[in-house]
Amino acid sequence: MQTLTVDLGDRSYPIHIGTGLLDQALLKPHIAGRQVMVVSNETVAPLYLERLHAQFAGLEVADVILPDGEQYKDMAHLNRIFDALLGARHNRTTTLVALGGGVVGDMTGFAAACYQRGVNFIQVPTTLLSQVDSSVGGKTGVNHPQGKNMIGAFHQPVAVLIDTEVLQTLPERELSAGLAEVIKYGLIYDNAFFTWLEANMAALRARDNDALTYAIYRACEIKAEVVAQDERESGIRALLNLGHTFGHAIETAQGYGNWLHGEAVGTGMLMAADLSARCGWIDADDVARTRRLIEAAGLPVQAPADMSPDQFVALMSVDKKVLDGRLRLVLLHAIGDAVVTDEFDTALLHQTLSAGADLGRI
Ligand code: NAD
Ligand code: GLY
């Protein structure tokens, strides 16, 4: 087992990463009271809930099992968690435990942020995406019909437990979606990691445990470093949104759950690289490498054909990075060097949004 720390003073917490960790009694030290509410969904609970329960032997444990899907990441289903907590008389010392992917993790974290004005929670992420990104850093929330993740709070977990073995049951398409967020760290922060990913993408897709463990460790290490520097996203943390402004527009336009979040982010990152090349900040080879790696991860490299540039711009203007009415985007100055900027020519953005099958072929 390897352990990283998210360094946030007295709210610091460990990220344990290893194989078979679900069966190791690592979580009990993080339970403050005697009550535990596990939140999971109808797909993940039959696979892993029983093993997780063994961690909490001797405590008062209840579960709430949500329907599976991004379309249920909303206020109505958040209320089910509150109903379960109140129904089982959970008090302020209860600990919520998220067992599932990013949808369960974001909803559980938000429920923990709100219940009785804030209780502890633990992340046990079971998708690659949630292991490398959403379980770390304390962004929690639900979607609104008008925008992704628009209702939420910053609320850090007290521990993150990553068992790489659970990835063996993850559907192929979900593995690829997680790889999008892994590629993101190479693009924004670490040129050497991007090169490592180019050499190891086949091993990752074949679920080689060593390759997956290294990728998860490096991704969490970068995320922990960024979050420790800028917990509330007033600076460097915004770089973690590479591809997300484009991606959220795709998700909102296509209906939550139709394009997976990671798929939309994968295409969105290619759009960001395409625009960066049009701006003259990266060269044709960089954007071609980005396209090849995203394609090798099994991700789409073309925006939905039915989305017009105007629809993109309208949806992108709901983004949380919009400041004083100006759209700001995460763009690339090099592979491994990203910036948040509004200094791009709108005509070039329109070229990217109209590129179709030629996206990333500058
Ligand atoms: P998800 O939670 O919908 O999980 C994907 C699918 O895999 C679901 O059907 C789930 O039931 C299933 N699944 C999960 N673990 C499994 C396993 N081990 N075996 C078999 N099936 C399994 O999707 P996701 O990609 O994990 O998360 C996407 C969500 O995360 C989005 O809502 C996105 O906005 C959010 N997100 C949040 C942050 C953050 O910082 N909070 C960062 C990135 C993404
Ligand atoms: N996924 C973006 C962030 O955590 O900031």
Side-chain angles (χ1 to χ4, degrees):
M1 181 177 86
Q2 294 171 293
T3 300
L4 290 160
T5 302
V6 182
D7 193 355
L8 290 168
D10 59 4
R11 291 175 300 116
S12 297
Y13 55 93
I15 309 170
H16 298 304
I17 305 168
T19 308
L21 297 195
L22 264 186
D23 301 317
Q24 292 183 29
L26 293 160
L27 294 182
K28 228 170 168 180
H30 300 287
I31 308 293
R34 297 210 43 77
Q35 295 178 312
V36 173
M37 177 66 72
V38 181
V39 183
S40 191
N41 74 22
E42 286 164 351
T43 305
V44 179
L47 295 170
Y48 301 114
L49 185 62
E50 208 177 303
R51 281 167 65 190
L52 185 67
H53 271 191
Q55 297 257 357
F56 308 122
L59 298 175
E60 186 190 318
V61 185
D63 306 314
V64 49
I65 309 300
L66 300 171
D68 183 4
E70 182 78 37
Q71 64 273 38
Y72 304 113
K73 186 179 164 183
D74 59 14
M75 293 301 285
H77 291 84
L78 184 74
N79 246 328
R80 290 216 197 162
I81 305 177
F82 298 136
D83 291 346
L85 285 164
L86 289 165
R89 302 279 180 270
H90 277 236
N91 60 45
R92 293 182 87 175
T93 65
T94 188
T95 302
L96 273 60
V97 181
L99 174 69
V103 169
V104 164
D106 282 12
M107 292 178 76
T108 308
F110 190 33
C114 301
Y115 187 65
Q116 302 203 7
R117 302 201 182 89
V119 297
N120 285 352
F121 86 112
I122 292 172
Q123 291 272 18
V124 184
T126 61
T127 61
L128 179 60
L129 183 141
S130 55
Q131 295 186 345
V132 298
D133 193 356
S134 62
S135 64
V136 175
K139 279 191 184 175
T140 73
V142 294
N143 299 327
H144 186 278
Q146 290 179 48
K148 252 309 266 178
N149 295 333
M150 278 293 151
I151 318 294
F154 283 97
H155 188 57
Q156 300 291 341
V158 295
V160 181
L161 183 79
I162 299 178
D163 186 341
T164 57
E165 208 171 83
V166 302
L167 298 179
Q168 297 302 326
T169 58
L170 194 65
E172 187 82 30
R173 195 174 157 200
E174 299 293 348
L175 186 79
S176 291
L179 288 169
E181 302 279 10
V182 176
I183 293 169
K184 177 182 81 179
Y185 292 104
L187 280 170
I188 62 168
Y189 206 80
D190 188 346
N191 184 303
F193 186 47
F194 186 91
T195 305
W196 182 89
L197 288 169
E198 290 178 310
N200 289 279
M201 188 49 76
L204 290 166
R205 290 194 70 193
R207 301 177 203 229
D208 175 273
N209 194 52
D210 290 344
L212 282 170
T213 303
Y214 176 71
I216 293 164
Y217 184 87
R218 182 63 189 134
C220 286
E221 193 173 40
I222 295 172
K223 179 126 192 199
E225 224 168 277
V226 169
V227 169
Q229 285 177 58
D230 178 25
E231 183 185 4
R232 294 281 172 140
E233 198 171 303
S234 49
I236 187 176
R237 185 165 181 173
L239 301 181
L240 295 175
N241 295 319
L242 175 69
H244 285 58
T245 307
F246 296 102
H248 285 167
I250 294 174
E251 283 186 271
T252 307
Q254 300 301 304
Y256 297 130
N258 289 321
W259 270 56
L260 300 181
H261 175 74
E263 291 173 338
V265 167
T267 302
M269 290 191 303
L270 183 55
M271 297 178 99
D274 181 287
L275 177 55
S276 307
R278 287 178 201 278
C279 293
W281 299 337
I282 61 172
D283 60 30
D285 184 50
D286 290 329
V287 69
R289 281 175 72 194
T290 303
R291 182 183 163 106
R292 276 198 301 275
L293 189 59
I294 290 170
E295 210 163 14
L299 293 160
V301 286
Q302 190 181 336
D306 60 355
M307 281 183 75
S308 67
D310 286 347
Q311 188 184 13
F312 257 108
V313 171
L315 289 168
M316 287 164 73
S317 66
V318 183
D319 192 79
K320 292 194 269 316
K321 284 185 297 305
V322 169
L323 204 64
D324 300 330
R326 283 285 299 170
L327 180 60
R328 299 185 312 147
L329 293 169
V330 184
L331 297 176
L332 298 173
H333 279 172
I335 290 179
D337 181 11
V339 285
V340 181
T341 180
D342 63 2
E343 287 173 12
F344 50 85
D345 186 335
T346 308
L348 296 178
L349 173 63
H350 273 256
Q351 285 177 18
T352 293
L353 297 175
S354 318
D358 287 328
L359 186 66
R361 292 195 177 108
I362 309 297

